[in-house]
Amino acid sequence: VDLLGLADAYCFNADSVSVIASPPLTAGTSLSGFRGAGFEQPIAPATVTRNPVFNPTAAGVGQHLLTYRFIDSTTRCLNEVQERIVINP
């Protein structure tokens, strides 16, 4: 499980960034999804199958923990990855 496309740090006024989840989020997957400040909208796996957009301005200045949870549909095992990022003034 991985989150791709995120830098370790951003300026507060930086442009939004597309985040790529691997494996991709699929519709209807329970307890899966993206969590953390700065995702432009809550992403509900039951209705959305696209990758999220991370907005540094929405996250705000400081350190943030972004999480991607994925439940394998075959094994039903929960996999999780967390990325710590910093938003500078």
Side-chain angles (χ1 to χ4, degrees):
V1 176
D2 204 359
L3 280 175
L4 308 170
L6 286 171
D8 293 333
Y10 293 92
C11 289
F12 175 75
N13 62 349
D15 291 337
S16 295
V17 176
S18 291
V19 179
I20 299 169
S22 176
L25 185 63
T26 57
T29 304
S30 62
L31 294 175
S32 294
F34 307 95
R35 291 172 179 55
F39 286 124
E40 290 194 335
Q41 64 180 16
I43 297 186
T47 58
V48 179
T49 58
R50 69 171 177 82
N51 286 316
V53 173
F54 175 73
N55 182 328
T57 303
V61 173
Q63 191 175 59
H64 300 281
L65 187 64
L66 304 179
T67 303
Y68 173 51
R69 293 179 139 192
F70 177 82
I71 296 179
D72 185 293
S73 60
T74 303
T75 65
R76 304 303 298 161
C77 292
L78 174 65
N79 298 284
E80 180 178 280
V81 63
Q82 295 182 325
E83 298 284 336
R84 191 168 305 279
I85 62 163
V86 174
I87 307 301
N88 296 308

